[in-house]
Amino acid sequence: MASLLSPSAAISLRLKLNRSSAVSANTPSKICCTFPGNGRCQRLSFKTKAAGSVEGNVLDKESASISDKIDYGVVGIHHVGILCENLERSLEFYQNILGLEINEARPHDKLPYRGAWLWVGSEMIHLMELPNPDPLIGRPEHGGRDRHACISIRDVSKLQAILDKAGIPYTLRRSGRPAIFTRDPDANALEFTQV
């Protein structure tokens, strides 16, 4: 909706909506189910619509038409692709430092390059041994100012101790929330945020 309105009109409408008790909304809902076979939790997302009346149903009609155009069934992130120069060196980091496990069910021999799929909860990291087009020098020290993947964890202080023991540099989130940024052997930035 905001893209259809000028900034001042969008703010005005937002203020009107904040004062209204009946507003049209799309509310994401998540269910976690464990499936036989891999025993992993698969998050399923769906949207429910709560319709209301704002200035003669104008908002309902516009938000429904916009929502209908972009609703193609997004349920989550399946995997994040990370480029590496040397697969064995990367696996040493991701498996032996971070403790991630290989998903043996994913194809390793069907792709025209070497790689590995690693479980991150019910999602995955796909390590791909391919040339990296990104510069390895001149990157920001703090990974939060660079392209990065963020992994949810339960205890940042435990990861901090693991990285300290391994001599791997990191920075803490500058906002003060419990999170830590580090880089893998190929300078790919990773964020670990405590949930």
Side-chain angles (χ1 to χ4, degrees):
M1 176 96 178
S3 64
L4 301 176
L5 303 173
S6 69
S8 60
I11 292 169
S12 172
L13 181 57
R14 192 176 305 119
L15 292 173
K16 288 178 185 175
L17 291 177
N18 288 340
R19 286 187 229 125
S20 174
S21 61
V23 179
S24 175
N26 287 329
T27 307
S29 303
K30 290 194 174 193
I31 296 175
C32 186
C33 304
T34 302
F35 289 92
N38 68 7
R40 295 194 179 268
C41 174
Q42 302 292 317
R43 285 185 211 104
L44 307 174
S45 297
F46 58 93
K47 289 185 178 182
T48 57
K49 291 187 179 182
S53 175
V54 176
E55 297 182 5
N57 273 346
V58 172
L59 181 63
D60 287 340
K61 291 176 186 170
E62 289 181 13
S63 63
S65 65
I66 292 170
S67 177
D68 291 343
K69 290 180 186 175
I70 60 171
D71 185 13
Y72 51 92
V74 173
V75 294
I77 293 178
H78 181 269
H79 71 274
V80 173
I82 295 182
L83 300 178
C84 64
E85 182 181 358
N86 181 290
L87 184 61
E88 287 74 21
R89 182 182 67 181
S90 293
L91 287 173
E92 173 70 26
F93 174 79
Y94 284 94
Q95 287 185 289
N96 298 338
I97 303 294
L98 299 182
L100 302 183
E101 297 177 10
I102 290 181
N103 177 355
E104 296 293 346
R106 297 300 298 174
H108 296 283
D109 56 345
K110 295 182 181 181
L111 299 172
Y113 51 85
R114 293 178 28 153
W117 297 82
L118 301 163
W119 283 114
V120 182
S122 60
E123 290 77 27
M124 291 171 281
I125 287 176
H126 183 198
L127 291 176
M128 301 176 287
E129 190 178 85
L130 291 168
N132 190 343
D134 293 331
L136 298 180
I137 56 172
R139 307 284 286 275
E141 179 186 355
H142 182 62
R145 294 179 175 261
D146 200 355
R147 286 182 298 268
H148 63 277
C150 181
I151 298 172
S152 301
I153 61 174
R154 299 213 192 297
D155 192 340
V156 166
S157 62
K158 285 184 180 178
L159 177 60
Q160 190 172 3
I162 290 168
L163 296 175
D164 283 339
K165 184 177 178 183
I168 296 173
Y170 58 84
T171 57
L172 300 176
R173 180 176 276 165
R174 296 194 172 159
S175 67
R177 291 185 291 152
I180 195 166
F181 290 84
T182 191
R183 292 187 181 274
D184 75 2
D186 293 282
N188 296 302
L190 299 168
E191 175 183 3
F192 296 87
T193 189
Q194 187 168 306
V195 293

